Amino acid sequence: RSPKRDKMVTHLKKTRKTRGSTQVGYGRVGKHRKHAGGRGNAGGLTHHRTLLDRYHPGYFGKVGMRHFHVLRNTEYRPIVNIDKLWNLVSEQKKTRIPEGKMPVIDCTRAGYFKVLGKGLLPEIPVCVRARFFSKVAEEKITAAGGKCEIVNRKPEAPKPKKEKSA
């Protein structure tokens, strides 16, 4: 016996009360059987049909067309607005911007693929790298003197090298 498992005291169990009664509370006609209605969801189309129709309508049958090889998340495109762009830059980079050089904000590194144009950008020219830009975002970045760099949209698989035949 494991000490963790709490056992109920025998003298408090229901069976002590029902000793001597023939049916032990389960009736003379129906009898207490193991799995009278079947195990689990058995009988959904036959003897449990009324329950399934009442509480789970539409459980059986087909709906719609079949779609083979469903690819989910093909349009995975987390967004960031331009008013939050400078939050992606560390404090050290903000203070140490060399003269004549643009700071580079790589959105894909931070997990954002698309830059949207909500909010205002400070009048500091900045190079923003992302996979997608909205028109407004592109206009605002270039108006501030910066530029938009489109990073590879889908990484291409390396081409197999051709072996020279001797």
Side-chain angles (χ1 to χ4, degrees):
R1 247 189 279 166
S2 85
K4 289 181 184 176
R5 204 166 97 219
D6 293 329
K7 273 199 137 189
M8 190 173 173
V9 189
T10 311
H11 76 276
L12 295 175
K13 285 193 170 184
K14 183 188 170 191
T15 39
R16 303 306 321 145
K17 270 261 203 278
T18 54
R19 280 280 181 247
S21 70
T22 313
Q23 282 75 40
V24 197
Y26 291 112
R28 204 178 268 275
V29 180
K31 297 182 192 66
H32 184 213
R33 302 292 193 197
K34 298 276 183 178
H35 299 280
R39 290 174 190 253
N41 287 338
L45 289 170
T46 51
H47 57 285
H48 289 153
R49 174 174 257 169
T50 48
L51 291 172
L52 273 158
D53 287 348
R54 180 184 293 169
Y55 298 113
H56 308 283
Y59 180 80
F60 294 108
K62 299 176 183 177
V63 173
M65 294 180 288
R66 293 191 298 169
H67 190 295
F68 305 109
H69 193 65
V70 177
L71 296 172
R72 305 200 186 279
N73 271 351
T74 52
E75 291 296 313
Y76 178 70
R77 208 174 282 184
I79 59 163
V80 63
N81 282 299
I82 58 169
D83 59 353
K84 304 285 184 199
L85 275 182
W86 281 97
N87 294 354
L88 306 179
V89 182
S90 65
E91 289 297 323
Q92 291 177 339
K93 275 191 181 177
K94 283 181 193 175
T95 53
R96 296 181 191 170
I97 299 170
E99 276 300 316
K101 284 203 171 184
M102 264 192 236
V104 177
I105 300 174
D106 197 347
C107 296
T108 52
R109 264 221 169 135
Y112 299 107
F113 289 175
K114 186 166 185 175
V115 179
L116 301 181
K118 187 188 124 191
L120 299 169
L121 252 183
E123 290 297 316
I124 304 167
V126 66
C127 174
V128 183
R129 288 183 184 154
R131 290 190 183 178
F132 306 95
F133 291 91
S134 69
K135 279 183 188 175
V136 179
E138 208 164 343
E139 287 166 9
K140 285 185 180 179
I141 291 166
T142 49
K147 63 178 186 175
C148 302
E149 280 186 16
I150 294 174
V151 187
N152 61 333
R153 295 221 166 135
K154 282 190 179 173
E156 293 177 22
K159 293 176 184 174
K161 293 178 181 176
K162 292 180 183 175
E163 293 180 18
K164 293 180 181 176
S165 56

